[in-house]
Amino acid sequence: MSAFVGKYAEELIKNAKYIATPGKGILAADESTGTIGKRLAGINVENIESNRQALRELLFTSPNALSFLSGVILFEETLYQKTSDGKPFVEVLQENNVIPGIKVDKGTVEIAGTNGETTTQGFDSLGARCQQYYKAGARFAKWRAVLKIGPNEPSELSIQQNAEGLARYSIICQENGLVPIVEPEVLTDGPHDIKKCAAVTETVLAAVYKALNDHHVLLEGTLLKPNMVTPGSDSPKVSPQVIAEYTVAALRRTVPPAVPGIVFLSGGQSEEEATLNLNAMNKLDVLKPWTLSFSFGRALQQSTLKTWGGKKENVGKGQQAFLLRCKANSDATLGKYTGGSAGGLASESLFVKGYKY
Amino acid sequence: MACVSFAKLNAASSQWIGGQQSFAQRPGPSTRLATRRVSVPIRAGAYTDELIQTAKAIASPGRGILAIDESNATCGKRLSSIGLDNTEPNRQAYRQLLLTTPGLGEYISGAILFEETLYQSTTDGKKFVDCLREQKIVPGIKVDKGLVPLPGSNNESWCQGLDGLSSRSAEYYKQGARFAKWRTVVSIPCGPSALAVKEAAWGLARYAAISQDNGLVPIVEPEILLDGDHPIERTLEVAEKVWAEVFYYLAENNVIFEGILLKPSMVTPGAEHKEKASPDTIAKYTLTMLRRRVPPAVPGIMFLSGGQSEVEATLNLNAMNQSPNPWHVSFSYARALQNTVLKTWQGRPESVEAAQKALLVRAKANSLAQLGKYSAEGESEEAKKGMFVKGYTY
C-alpha cells in the first residue's frame, strides 16, 4: 500500500498544516509529574497537583500569548484539568485556536547490551489510549526517542530500534485521529564537534524516514521535532549562523517536502540561544519546503517560572515574561527577530549533563 | 575523521557553467530581510564542489537532457527502422546529426553518450565532447553493463556494472564526461519482489558513490516499467517503495545529495490498463510521490519517457510544472526526442538539416514544458504516436 489513508486523513493533513502556520509554534508543557517536580523544586514550590495546575493555568491564560501558539503539548493529568473558574484547559486552548496535544510515550529504558542507549516505551494499548485522548479533545501526539553520540554511538541497533518505534507510534496515532509529532532527539552531551552532530543527525533522520515510509505513515499528516545541529556540550560554541547552516543542510538532505512543518526542540539551550538559532534558520537564503518553527519546553518557560516563583501576586509578571518569549519565537519563525528580549534570565543555559527527561 | 569543507553555492564556475544564474540574480520574494547567501557544509571528497556545480548546471531552468546512450545493439534497432545497417559510420553519422544541431544548447543542458560515442569525432575531426562543450552541454556517459536475469526472483532483472566501475569512471572523466547514468528496472507484473527492489536500490547506491568518487554526477534511474494492466494507484505504491529503498541506501553509502540527479519514470497506469490518465492526473500522482520521497537537497529530477509518445511526454512534463517545485523538474528523453528526427533523416545527407530542425522543435517544446508554458497546438500526428512496445528490452 502507498500511504495509509484512513478515515482521519483529511483532518490529519489539515491539523498538521495548521500547526505549521508561519508565525506560530508549540508550547511543550507535557512534563511528566516527576519532571515538573524538578522545575517546581528549582523555584522552591511543592510538587502537588494544585501547584501543577496553577503553573499551567498561568501559561494558558496569559493574555495574547496564545496568539503566537498553534499547539500545546500536555501531559495526561493536564488534559483533564480545569482553570480555577472551572473551565477545562482544553476548552481554553480551543477557544484561542490552539490545538491541544498529548504526550503518549511512557519514558525511555536502556537497551541491554549497549552502552547506555535507550528505547522508548508506550505501545501497550496505545491505540485505545489515543482514542480516549481524541475524545478528550487532543488532536496531536508526541513521542520522544533519544539517541546519544559516543565513540560507538549511536549504534545501528539503537538507530533501528528508535526509528521503528517512532514509525509504529506514528501509524497508530494516525489510525486514531492524532497527528504524530516525530521526535528523534540526538542529545547534545559530549565533546564532539558540529560536524559529528550533523553526520549523526542525518543518519538518524534517514533511518526515521525509511521506517515511516515502510509503515505507510502519511507524511502530510505528521510533524518532525528534531534537535538543532550544534557542537557537543563540551565543545566550543559556534554562532547561530553556523548552527542554522548545518541544521538546514541536514534537513534538506533528509526531510521530504510532504512534511508540512519542522518544530525544533530546544534541548539545553538558553531561551535566547534557541530563539536566535531559529531566527537564523529562517533567514537563510535557501529553499525550505517545510516551515521551521519551535516546540519548546524549557526555552519558553524558564524565565516565566523564575518570575512567578509560585506566588499568586507574581502571576501577571510571569505571564508577561511568557508573552515575551512567545512573541520572540514567533518573530524567529519569520526571520524577524531582532534580539533584545533577552533579560539575564533568558540567557541562562538550561543544559544539564546526562539530563533525564 | 575526514575534514569537511564548506562549498559556497555561488562559487567560481567550472568550465561547464556558462550563463548560470547566481543566487543574487534568482527571482525571489520582494522583501528581503537582510538574508545571507548560504554555505552548504558537505562531506569530504575531491570532487564535491564540482559535482554540486555540475548538477546545478544540468538542472538549469528551461533545459533538460538529450539521452543518446543507446548501446550499439539498440542503436541498431533505431537505424534498421529507417533501413540503415548498424555500422560504426552510420552510428557516427546519426550522432553527429544530433550533436552538431545549431542552437541545441539553448534547450539541452546535458547529453548522455554511449562509450563508443564519447570517443568519436565529427567527419571534420572535431571531438564530439568538444562540440558539446562549446554549446555548454555537459557530456554524460552510460556506465552500466545492462540487465541480466536475477536468480531467485520472479523472472526479474538486475543491472550489472560495478566491477571496475571506479577505473572506468576515472577514464571517462579524463575524456570529458562529467555525469554518469545507470539504468535498472522494476517490473510491476512480476511483483515486484522485495529482492528485486532491494537489488535495484543497492546497485544504484553503490554506483552513485563510486561515480561521485571519480568526479561524475550520478543520474539515479530505477525505471518502473510501463508494462502491465495495473491502475495508477498501484504504480504510486510501487514507486514510493522503490524510492524509499533508493534514498535509504544512497544515505547509507554516504552519497552527497546535492550532487546527484534523479531519472524516475512518471507515475502512470500500466500500458494495458483500460483507462488512460490525463496529464493532470499523471502530474498529481507523480508530484505526490516526489514530495513524499525526494529531499529538497536533490537539485534536479529528469524524467524518462519510457514509451510515451513525444507529445504525451511533453504534455505530462508541462502539467508537472504549473506551480513551483522544490527541485528542478525536467526531462531526460531518448525516444521522445529522437523519433521524428529519425523519420525525417531516413539516412539521407540532404535531410540532415530538416532532421536537426525537427530535433530543435522537440527540444524547444520540452524546454517550454519545463517552464510550464507548453501548448500542444500545431504538433504533428507523428509526434503524437505512442512508442510503447510490450516487453521492450532496451
Side-chain angles (χ1 to χ4, degrees):
Chain A
M1 179 190 271
S2 169
F4 171 69
V5 175
K7 69 179 195 188
Y8 292 107
E10 281 191 27
E11 193 182 331
L12 292 169
I13 294 173
K14 185 170 129 272
N15 286 336
K17 238 176 119 91
Y18 175 73
I19 294 172
T21 304
K24 292 185 192 276
I26 295 175
L27 163 65
D30 60 317
E31 298 87 354
S32 62
T33 308
T35 303
I36 198 65
K38 292 187 206 171
R39 305 266 183 277
L40 296 173
I43 51 170
N44 290 317
V45 172
E46 206 186 338
N47 187 12
I48 51 180
E49 210 230 323
S50 55
N51 284 338
R52 296 195 291 273
Q53 182 276 343
L55 168 61
R56 272 65 181 263
E57 176 164 348
L58 183 162
L59 296 170
F60 304 158
T61 59
S62 288
N64 304 316
L66 294 190
S67 66
F68 300 114
L69 301 178
S70 50
V72 174
I73 320 179
L74 306 169
F75 181 61
E76 194 181 86
E77 177 189 76
T78 323
L79 186 65
Y80 297 101
Q81 280 180 332
K82 305 180 163 82
T83 65
S84 31
D85 293 341
K87 187 174 212 174
F89 280 155
V90 166
E91 268 181 46
V92 174
L93 295 175
Q94 288 167 339
E95 279 170 11
N96 285 280
N97 297 312
V98 178
I99 302 185
I102 177 73
K103 184 231 293 290
V104 302
D105 72 70
K106 294 200 174 254
T108 58
V109 285
E110 283 196 9
I111 304 175
T114 68
N115 182 19
E117 293 178 288
T118 63
T119 185
T120 303
Q121 296 186 127
F123 288 111
D124 292 358
S125 304
L126 180 58
R129 289 167 53 220
C130 288
Q131 281 174 28
Q132 289 304 316
Y133 296 144
Y134 184 95
K135 277 206 196 83
R139 289 295 178 272
F140 72 94
K142 167 267 179 100
W143 171 289
R144 177 173 174 264
V146 183
L147 299 112
K148 69 176 199 179
I149 297 180
N152 301 305
E153 289 83 21
S155 63
E156 188 63 19
L157 171 59
S158 164
I159 294 172
Q160 291 304 323
Q161 188 49 212
N162 282 291
E164 278 293 310
L166 282 167
R168 186 73 193 119
Y169 136 81
S170 294
I171 195 71
I172 292 172
C173 283
Q174 292 193 330
E175 284 181 280
N176 294 290
L178 303 180
V179 171
I181 294 194
V182 176
E183 180 177 354
E185 173 170 4
V186 176
L187 295 172
T188 334
D189 300 54
H192 55 272
D193 63 14
I194 194 170
K195 293 163 195 166
K196 176 70 174 169
C197 180
V200 170
T201 302
E202 287 173 25
T203 300
V204 167
L205 288 176
V208 166
Y209 279 98
K210 176 68 162 70
L212 291 175
N213 294 336
D214 285 348
H215 284 250
H216 310 299
V217 175
L218 180 69
L219 294 184
E220 294 88 337
T222 65
L223 295 160
L224 179 69
K225 181 165 169 167
N227 52 285
M228 297 185 193
V229 176
T230 68
S233 52
D234 297 336
S235 203
K237 282 198 181 292
V238 301
S239 70
Q241 181 64 27
V242 172
I243 288 173
E245 286 177 354
Y246 274 93
T247 305
V248 173
L251 298 170
R252 278 173 51 83
R253 288 172 178 166
T254 51
V255 186
V259 176
I262 298 178
V263 291
F264 291 97
L265 60 94
S266 47
Q269 294 177 34
S270 72
E271 289 176 329
E272 187 66 2
E273 271 177 331
T275 305
L276 288 173
N277 291 336
L278 181 61
N279 188 55
M281 283 183 227
N282 280 294
K283 284 175 69 168
L284 276 185
D285 185 13
V286 72
L287 190 143
K288 296 156 280 192
W290 357 254
T291 60
L292 296 178
S293 184
F294 57 93
S295 173
F296 293 165
R298 285 173 279 173
L300 271 172
Q301 299 178 61
Q302 185 67 3
S303 323
T304 306
L305 272 163
K306 292 231 163 99
T307 310
W308 173 52
K311 303 197 175 78
K312 256 206 173 73
E313 59 272 24
N314 290 341
V315 165
K317 282 204 285 184
Q319 292 183 324
Q320 273 169 23
F322 183 58
L323 171 61
L324 209 60
R325 290 282 15 117
C326 286
K327 170 105 183 36
N329 285 303
S330 163
D331 284 345
T333 71
L334 302 168
K336 283 196 190 139
Y337 181 62
T338 49
S341 66
L345 291 175
S347 302
E348 268 177 39
S349 167
L350 299 165
F351 175 72
V352 174
K353 202 179 172 87
Y355 180 73
K356 291 275 179 289
Y357 183 80
Chain B
M1 186 171 72
C3 218
V4 168
S5 61
F6 278 85
K8 299 255 179 253
L9 289 176
N10 54 335
S13 324
S14 81
Q15 60 187 337
W16 298 113
I17 320 302
Q20 179 203 17
Q21 286 183 316
S22 75
F23 261 30
Q25 292 156 25
R26 193 184 57 166
S30 50
T31 42
R32 287 218 171 264
L33 303 158
T35 51
R36 255 198 55 165
R37 298 255 180 90
V38 69
S39 311
V40 177
I42 47 191
R43 300 186 195 98
Y47 295 102
T48 306
D49 285 7
E50 190 182 345
L51 291 169
I52 295 176
Q53 292 296 341
T54 301
K56 273 183 76 69
I58 295 172
S60 47
R63 301 205 296 166
I65 292 175
L66 169 63
I68 54 169
D69 59 314
E70 296 85 355
S71 62
N72 289 347
T74 304
C75 193
K77 290 188 202 170
R78 305 271 181 270
L79 295 172
S80 78
S81 78
I82 53 170
L84 290 183
D85 289 335
N86 189 9
T87 62
E88 208 237 329
N90 282 342
R91 294 193 295 271
Q92 183 274 341
Y94 178 47
R95 270 67 183 265
Q96 172 166 327
L97 183 161
L98 297 169
L99 300 179
T100 60
T101 298
L104 189 63
E106 197 179 331
Y107 311 117
I108 301 294
S109 53
I112 320 179
L113 309 175
F114 181 63
E115 191 182 82
E116 178 188 80
T117 322
L118 187 65
Y119 291 92
Q120 281 178 332
S121 306
T122 65
T123 36
D124 294 338
K126 185 170 191 182
K127 290 196 198 147
F128 279 158
V129 291
D130 291 338
C131 297
L132 290 171
R133 188 194 308 244
E134 276 170 22
Q135 292 228 51
K136 305 210 192 310
I137 302 175
V138 183
I141 175 72
K142 184 229 295 289
V143 302
D144 71 71
K145 292 202 173 261
L147 302 166
V148 288
L150 176 61
S153 75
N154 187 22
N155 279 327
E156 295 156 292
S157 315
W158 67 293
C159 185
Q160 293 187 136
L162 291 178
D163 291 359
L165 180 59
S166 190
S167 43
R168 281 192 296 124
S169 301
E171 284 304 308
Y172 295 146
Y173 182 94
K174 276 209 202 92
Q175 180 63 7
R178 288 296 178 270
F179 72 93
K181 168 260 182 118
W182 169 290
R183 173 185 175 262
T184 191
V185 298
V186 165
S187 161
I188 296 182
C190 292
S193 65
L195 167 62
V197 171
K198 189 175 284 226
E199 167 54 36
W202 187 254
L204 281 167
R206 297 277 289 111
Y207 136 80
I210 293 170
S211 297
Q212 290 195 331
D213 217 37
N214 290 286
L216 303 180
V217 170
I219 295 196
V220 176
E221 181 178 356
E223 174 169 0
I224 298 170
L225 297 166
L226 203 51
D227 301 56
D229 60 4
H230 48 274
I232 197 170
E233 290 81 3
R234 175 69 183 138
T235 309
L236 177 66
E237 200 181 340
V238 173
E240 286 180 1
K241 176 68 185 161
V242 167
W243 282 106
E245 293 274 305
V246 168
F247 273 102
Y248 185 57
Y249 294 146
L250 286 172
E252 281 202 310
N253 279 271
N254 294 312
V255 171
I256 298 159
F257 289 178
E258 292 87 351
I260 69 175
L261 295 163
L262 308 185
K263 183 162 170 169
S265 32
M266 298 183 194
V267 178
T268 69
E272 288 125 332
H273 186 65
K274 48 183 160 46
E275 285 158 25
K276 262 193 139 4
S278 69
D280 282 344
T281 302
I282 290 172
K284 183 172 132 208
Y285 276 80
T286 306
L287 288 175
T288 295
M289 184 277 288
L290 295 174
R291 289 182 61 83
R292 286 177 177 168
R293 293 295 182 267
V294 184
V298 175
I301 300 174
M302 328 293 286
F303 282 97
L304 62 92
S305 48
Q308 297 176 33
S309 75
E310 288 177 327
V311 170
E312 272 176 331
T314 306
L315 279 172
N316 291 335
L317 179 63
N318 188 57
M320 284 189 245
N321 281 295
Q322 292 307 303
S323 49
N325 292 308
W327 348 252
H328 177 76
V329 173
S330 186
F331 58 94
S332 172
Y333 292 164
R335 286 175 278 174
L337 277 170
Q338 298 179 53
N339 191 43
T340 304
V341 175
L342 269 165
K343 299 218 155 84
T344 308
W345 178 44
Q346 295 293 326
R348 298 184 298 250
E350 62 273 23
S351 303
V352 165
E353 208 181 308
Q356 290 183 326
K357 284 213 168 76
L359 176 60
L360 282 178
V361 165
R362 288 269 43 91
K364 177 167 186 182
N366 287 303
S367 162
L368 288 171
Q370 198 293 305
L371 300 166
K373 296 191 176 139
Y374 168 76
S375 143
E377 265 180 57
E379 290 278 26
S380 72
E381 278 316 301
E382 186 60 49
K384 295 179 187 164
K385 284 219 196 103
M387 288 184 282
F388 173 69
V389 173
K390 197 180 164 92
Y392 179 75
T393 45
Y394 181 84

